[in-house]
Amino acid sequence: MSTTVVAVGKKHESWVADGIARYSKRLRKPYDLTWRLLPHSAKDHDAARAEESAKILQTLKPHQHVILLDERGTNLSSPALAAHLQRQYDSGTEVAIIIGGAYGVSQDLHHRANLTWSLSSLVFPHQLVRLILTEQLYRAQEISAGRSYHHV
Ligand SMILES: C[S@@+](CC[C@H](N)C(=O)[O-])C[C@H]1O[C@@H](n2cnc3c(N)ncnc32)[C@H](O)[C@@H]1O
């Protein structure tokens, strides 16, 4: 079992790809990430949000625990994130993490989410969110394993 990331946008851009590769190679199951990259909609704001969100929803399986990244969500400390993920993994639940497009995601997708997670109240570009997420998954893995990467 791996962790699925569903993200709107093309392949990782070069300015984040090195960082994602750096942390990805240290991730072990079930923290390792399987990326599902969906194309940006060519439509206008609301229509783009609706189309992209419908495509994201189509990729989700009913049994998956869905974590939606959104700056208006819940702030979690890294140990709290690690504990949250570990609870899912310990119960054999698959985790899917969603990164929206330029206009965010629909209410339907918000309702499907089991957790809406804010990295900060600042808005980040979605490519940068990919990198922060990958590092935080590595940090969570190390916290759960009791290793010394995380110092607080
Ligand atoms: C450019 S942002 C879109 C922001 C837009 N204001 C919205 O309506 O959601 C693209 C995606 O990156 C993610 N994102 C950006 N900043 C974030 C943050 N601080 N915390 C969590 N996710 C964030 C979200 O998944 C968002 O849908």
Side-chain angles (χ1 to χ4, degrees):
M1 185 171 69
S2 302
T3 300
T4 302
V5 182
V6 187
V8 177
K10 295 185 185 144
K11 65 179 189 173
H12 308 320
E13 290 174 11
S14 56
W15 61 277
V16 294
D18 284 355
I20 292 171
R22 174 190 176 94
Y23 294 108
S24 292
K25 67 183 177 203
R26 303 181 197 170
L27 289 172
R28 300 290 173 265
K29 288 188 185 306
Y31 291 86
D32 62 313
L33 300 178
T34 300
W35 293 87
R36 291 210 57 179
L37 302 181
L38 304 176
H40 285 292
S41 168
K43 296 183 175 162
D44 264 358
H45 299 198
D46 291 352
R49 185 191 302 114
E51 185 173 82
E52 290 167 353
S53 298
K55 285 189 176 149
I56 294 170
L57 279 164
Q58 280 169 17
T59 71
L60 299 175
K61 299 173 201 147
H63 59 271
Q64 279 178 323
H65 179 86
V66 174
I67 301 176
L68 171 64
L69 278 156
D70 187 295
E71 69 273 14
R72 293 150 296 210
T74 305
N75 280 301
L76 296 173
S77 66
S78 292
L81 174 69
H84 182 86
L85 290 171
Q86 198 57 49
R87 275 196 299 278
Q88 311 313 317
Y89 299 142
D90 287 347
S91 64
T93 304
E94 274 183 43
V95 175
I97 303 178
I98 312 297
I99 303 173
Y103 313 112
V105 300
S106 68
Q107 281 308 306
D108 285 352
L109 192 40
H110 273 280
H111 288 136
R112 173 64 182 85
N114 300 97
L115 170 70
T116 304
W117 172 29
S118 170
L119 303 170
S120 158
S121 50
L122 301 172
V123 175
F124 301 127
H126 58 90
Q127 288 274 340
L128 182 56
V129 171
R130 295 181 189 183
L131 173 54
I132 298 170
L133 170 64
T134 309
E135 193 276 339
Q136 284 301 312
L137 265 282
Y138 175 63
R139 187 175 294 271
Q141 170 186 278
E142 296 304 289
I143 291 169
S144 289
R147 289 189 287 265
S148 60
Y149 176 73
H150 181 75
H151 302 284
V152 175

